[in-house]
Amino acid sequence: MNASPSQPHPAEWTETQGLLPSAERDLPTGRHQLHKEQMMAQIHEDLRTSSRTSPAVPPKRPNPFLRRTILLPAMAFALAGAVVGGLALTGGGADGGTTALATGPALTTRIGTADAKGAPQLLDRISLAAATTSAPTPHQGQYVYIASKVASTYYREDGDDSKVVSDKLHSRQVWNSLDGKDGWLIEAGQTDDNGITLASKVPSAAAYNTLAELPTDPDALLQRIYRQSDAHRDADVPRDQAAFVAIGDLLTESYPPAEVSAALYKAAAKIPGVVAVDDAADATGRHGVAIARENPADGERTEWIFDKKTLQFLGERTVVVKKVAGSELKVGTVVFTSAITDRSIVDANKQIPGQAS
């Protein structure tokens, strides 16, 4: 997305052959069925592919460590909190546990009007803005730092009863080395105050070095994305939706070079079903225009939100736009929402921008 000091989820796509070296990891932070966790190729950051295995089965509580979705069985989520696919999840608390987030009524929103004809033109403008964005080129030893505000909606079970609830909007900070093999995550209510390590023997698809090697020809890039999403997506997730979400994950909690961001937007314009949305708000309430795509299988629409004037990426969200059988989610429910508040290059892991290393 447009690189800027203020700006987002994950997310990260730790795919395997194709976009980057093979690897499996638990990606995205929280959402299964309602927002499934992406435990892909080997675990590292996040990559989101909004999906649910079956609309007739109530979604599970989001994974407490990472955020986003892809398509593995619910059983995979039981591994959270242990060493999964090479990613060590360790907290700094005395008991190694995490603090449960406060929950409240399900988040809801006004649904913006979708325009399929306007999507190519808007994406062309966004791509141009991304290509002309001035951003520092990181050097070896530095880290990509991204701060955001996030919240998710999920089913909470209480004995024999269950209801749809939402997390309290909370902060999330992620650090990742340029090669994607080292990093740190601090997320309020999901990790303890000290956070957890993100360590992997293999780089993630959203690692800066990996992104920098992607083809900048939109057609070649899209072919690669389809190839990788086809290899890992759940059978219930439509092919085009998986590709759209994969691109969003590569643009979210990452810092792609300007030419790569521009190519990813142009590639997204070639995916059937992509629409422009006249109004959408990020997690902090900033309104903008959006590029979106609805997953017909679950009635949820994934939206990338941009400032109306500058076209700077603000955040993203997934909203229910169509009622589907077997789901308790009402139209207008916000399944996941994020807002990027800072995207910077820092000199050390866990260093805050502006802080001496």
Side-chain angles (χ1 to χ4, degrees):
M1 317 217 126
N2 302 344
S4 75
S6 281
Q7 97 76 180
H9 190 16
E12 298 137 25
W13 193 23
T14 221
E15 282 289 40
T16 195
Q17 277 81 23
L19 285 180
L20 72 137
S22 171
E24 283 206 0
R25 52 159 134 137
D26 180 310
L27 293 173
T29 288
R31 295 183 321 196
H32 172 44
Q33 288 324 64
L34 263 201
H35 27 267
K36 260 180 188 174
E37 297 255 89
Q38 243 180 259
M39 230 172 186
M40 269 211 119
Q42 229 179 308
I43 283 195
H44 196 179
E45 266 207 42
D46 319 9
L47 158 114
R48 176 201 316 210
T49 304
S50 68
S51 88
R52 293 186 298 183
T53 49
S54 168
V57 179
K60 305 286 185 179
R61 169 72 166 90
N63 180 304
F65 293 107
L66 300 174
R67 159 190 122 235
R68 232 146 271 198
T69 68
I70 226 219
L71 348 140
L72 292 203
M75 201 179 348
F77 301 100
L79 297 176
V83 177
V84 187
L87 173 61
L89 302 181
T90 60
D95 60 359
T98 60
T99 303
L101 290 173
T103 57
L107 296 170
T108 59
T109 188
R110 171 189 171 279
I111 298 174
T113 301
D115 175 17
K117 293 182 179 179
Q121 182 180 16
L122 178 56
L123 276 165
D124 188 59
R125 292 171 54 212
I126 292 171
S127 177
L128 179 61
T132 56
T133 296
S134 176
T137 300
H139 57 72
Q140 185 175 358
Q142 291 187 310
Y143 285 72
V144 173
Y145 169 80
I146 296 175
S148 59
K149 297 287 186 180
V150 301
S152 296
T153 297
Y154 53 90
Y155 288 111
R156 184 176 67 184
E157 296 182 2
D158 184 8
D160 295 331
D161 298 325
S162 66
K163 62 180 180 179
V164 178
V165 297
S166 293
D167 292 333
K168 180 180 178 180
L169 185 66
H170 57 282
S171 62
R172 174 179 166 88
Q173 296 173 287
V174 174
W175 290 261
N176 274 292
S177 59
L178 303 187
D179 64 6
K181 296 183 180 181
D182 187 29
W184 198 258
L185 167 67
I186 299 176
E187 182 165 354
Q190 304 279 16
T191 67
D192 62 27
D193 292 342
N194 293 323
I196 58 174
T197 184
L198 299 177
S200 177
K201 295 180 180 179
V202 292
S204 72
Y208 181 87
N209 291 350
T210 301
L211 289 171
E213 295 175 354
L214 289 178
T216 54
D217 175 76
D219 292 311
L221 181 55
L222 186 58
Q223 288 179 12
R224 182 176 297 191
I225 289 169
Y226 270 120
R227 186 166 62 248
Q228 292 311 306
S229 59
D230 285 347
H232 299 285
R233 69 185 173 89
D234 186 287
D236 294 330
V237 180
R239 185 171 188 253
D240 293 328
Q241 183 68 13
F244 180 79
V245 173
I247 291 176
D249 289 340
L250 293 178
L251 290 163
T252 306
E253 278 189 351
S254 61
Y255 204 127
E259 62 275 17
V260 174
S261 290
L264 286 166
Y265 289 126
K266 289 181 178 179
K270 298 175 179 292
I271 298 176
V274 173
V275 300
V277 178
D278 65 343
D279 183 68
D282 69 11
T284 60
R286 295 177 298 188
H287 283 261
V289 292
I291 289 297
R293 192 180 190 286
E294 178 188 339
N295 180 356
D298 58 19
E300 296 175 10
R301 188 168 74 191
T302 299
E303 301 177 340
W304 306 337
I305 306 167
F306 302 84
D307 182 272
K308 291 182 179 181
K309 293 183 178 180
T310 66
L311 298 181
Q312 173 186 318
F313 177 72
L314 300 178
E316 60 181 333
R317 70 180 186 180
T318 298
V319 297
V320 179
V321 295
K322 181 181 68 178
K323 179 69 175 176
V324 296
S327 172
E328 296 177 29
L329 299 182
K330 299 178 180 178
V331 172
T333 299
V334 179
V335 173
F336 173 79
T337 182
S338 74
I340 300 305
T341 57
D342 195 354
R343 187 190 313 238
S344 304
I345 300 298
V346 295
D347 294 328
N349 199 8
K350 296 184 275 186
Q351 179 184 350
I352 302 296
Q355 179 186 77
S357 57

